[in-house]
Amino acid sequence: MATSEFIYINAPLPASYQPPVITGHQVLTAEELRDLLTSNDVTVEAAAGDTVPERLLSIFQHPEVLFGNPDYIPENRAHWLERFEYFVQRDEPIAFIAMAFPYKVPNPLKNGQRRAPDLGEALMLRRFAAVLDAVRAVYPPGARLTILEEGILGRCQGVDPRDIAAYRAGIRQIADLAGVGDAVAFHSLDDMVERIPNFEARWYFEQERLRRLWDEGDAYLRHGYDETTPGQRASIPTRDYNPDTLAKAYDPSQTDSALRYVRQYLEFVAHRQFFAYRGLLNLRDTTGYLEEIAPAAIKLTVSPKPTNLAVLPVNRASGILPYHGAPVRDLAGQWTVQYYGSLGSLGDLTALHLDGDADQEPIGFSRTQA
């Protein structure tokens, strides 16, 4: 699985639109759906070590947690032991933070028409919970994860605020369904606007600074652009596009001139998004914002880099983040996150619904045949 320090690299989009073949619907309670989710659960245990920080660090080298370059942790071992020692000396819960849960990416090839979180996000929360359980087994004060709900990124992506609001409204429901309790909390990055002085002007400045570096051919920025923009093209709001046309537009082998405008739209918007997105992240990291809301917290990420601890988001069978796809359970109980526009290749599916869900679109799918 390819990884990048700049972005999670989702699997390639399908070259044709094959929506799910739904042959049945099943309405389940939260408890019944939670029982289905447990087939993806893992038990994570720390390795032996001379000190508590050493055992805590080993959790992130466990095969069900480790994500990205396996050399990052040993190469920065002293740094991470010091970070854990900070909390151990104070006998305080380990504070983790992770950016996640922005909105369902408004691309019909990825998510169909669902706007609220689904069982994919619940699977991701349970994977985080397995890490927290492993910490508690080694270190009784335990740990607490604050998920920095990143709906503000929609301002960089041109996402309809109604999509963001619908997703945000469903986060509490999916956290309850996942059963993660109070070990996981959510904090909206929306308050960057109030907490960071002159936020709008500084954001404009940061975008223009990055554009100047781009114009000057800055190697690091260009590298980040090359790794980020393919994924951003697939995240541009396109719900109003015909999915068949959209699939062809993403397929470079298609040469129909009628695809030219769609491709320009994807290319131009993705280009602008890069500077807005990176500028926002730079403000988050350079203004003291994170330290103010979560002092000394340790970052968890799905974009592996030496300075963050990476966590496998769902399982190794899934190469798509939950908010970029739809969760599917096979006959053996294995869950994967797949693109909505490719589910037709799986044969007949049962659409799963949560009883009382405000979003009438399926919360997940179950295969009915091998």
Side-chain angles (χ1 to χ4, degrees):
M1 185 184 298
T3 63
S4 166
E5 68 173 281
F6 301 100
I7 192 171
Y8 182 91
I9 300 178
N10 289 289
L13 286 172
S16 62
Y17 180 58
Q18 300 180 70
V21 179
I22 298 174
T23 57
H25 292 265
Q26 191 173 9
V27 180
L28 301 170
T29 65
E31 183 176 357
E32 289 171 328
L33 285 171
R34 191 179 302 120
D35 287 342
L36 292 180
L37 294 174
T38 59
S39 60
N40 192 63
D41 287 354
V42 294
T43 299
V44 177
E45 295 180 345
D50 294 332
T51 67
V52 169
E54 286 176 341
R55 300 196 67 199
L56 291 172
L57 185 59
S58 75
I59 291 168
F60 296 90
Q61 296 173 289
H62 189 282
E64 291 292 348
V65 178
L66 181 66
F67 185 56
N69 189 333
D71 294 330
Y72 283 164
I73 291 179
E75 287 174 354
N76 296 276
R77 180 178 175 81
H79 167 76
W80 291 118
L81 293 179
E82 182 180 348
R83 296 295 303 277
F84 283 120
E85 184 66 30
Y86 173 89
F87 294 98
V88 171
Q89 286 185 349
R90 290 163 175 75
D91 199 33
E92 296 175 353
I94 310 295
F96 293 113
I97 54 172
M99 277 186 68
F101 290 38
Y103 39 78
K104 283 295 186 187
V105 172
N107 180 326
L109 299 178
K110 288 191 168 189
N111 287 310
Q113 296 302 314
R114 185 167 178 91
R115 288 167 167 79
D118 59 26
L119 297 182
E121 280 87 350
L123 291 167
M124 187 172 180
L125 285 173
R126 290 181 74 84
R127 183 61 56 126
F128 277 134
V131 173
L132 300 180
D133 288 343
V135 170
R136 190 176 302 107
V138 171
Y139 179 59
R144 183 174 176 82
L145 169 64
T146 299
I147 292 181
L148 303 175
E149 175 266 300
E150 52 188 1
I152 193 172
L153 295 185
R155 295 180 61 169
C156 308
Q157 314 286 4
V159 176
D160 188 330
R162 292 172 294 184
D163 279 10
I164 300 170
Y167 187 88
R168 183 174 293 162
I171 287 178
R172 186 67 264 164
Q173 171 181 272
I174 215 70
D176 290 342
L177 190 154
V180 294
D182 60 3
V184 179
F186 291 84
H187 180 94
S188 173
L189 291 178
D190 282 3
D191 69 354
M192 289 176 67
V193 177
E194 289 81 31
R195 287 180 181 267
I196 299 176
N198 303 320
F199 172 82
E200 295 290 348
R202 293 175 74 172
W203 190 19
Y204 295 156
F205 169 80
E206 190 61 22
Q207 292 176 63
E208 293 308 312
R209 187 185 70 83
L210 293 174
R211 285 193 180 92
R212 178 164 294 186
L213 289 174
W214 165 269
D215 291 340
E216 294 171 352
D218 181 85
Y220 183 73
L221 189 69
R222 291 278 180 139
H223 175 61
Y225 182 95
D226 290 342
E227 291 195 355
T228 301
T229 51
Q232 288 189 313
R233 288 190 197 100
S235 300
I236 291 169
T238 47
R239 278 212 182 96
D240 57 329
Y241 279 85
N242 179 287
D244 290 299
T245 301
L246 193 60
K248 292 176 182 176
Y250 281 115
D251 181 2
S253 70
Q254 299 289 329
T255 58
D256 189 339
S257 62
L259 301 174
R260 184 180 306 160
Y261 173 81
V262 182
R263 286 172 170 163
Q264 284 185 340
Y265 169 72
L266 298 174
E267 188 70 30
F268 293 172
V269 176
H271 179 75
R272 184 189 183 281
Q273 283 181 349
F274 172 77
F275 300 104
Y277 172 69
R278 296 310 309 177
L280 190 69
L281 295 187
N282 286 354
L283 281 183
R284 180 201 66 183
D285 292 339
T286 61
T287 59
Y289 170 82
L290 288 182
E291 188 64 22
E292 182 180 340
I293 63 172
I298 296 172
K299 287 184 185 178
L300 304 183
T301 185
V302 294
S303 302
K305 54 182 72 69
T307 55
N308 293 356
L309 290 173
V311 175
L312 184 69
V314 174
N315 56 35
R316 298 208 182 276
S318 298
I320 301 169
L321 283 176
Y323 17 99
H324 289 261
V328 182
R329 190 176 191 266
D330 68 17
L331 295 178
Q334 182 180 55
W335 286 96
T336 53
V337 178
Q338 304 193 38
Y339 290 130
Y340 181 91
S342 67
L343 295 184
S345 65
L346 301 179
D348 295 349
L349 296 174
T350 297
L352 305 177
H353 300 267
L354 171 63
D355 188 23
D357 194 351
D359 193 323
Q360 298 303 300
E361 294 294 316
I363 200 168
F365 298 88
S366 179
R367 294 188 69 168
T368 59
Q369 59 188 33

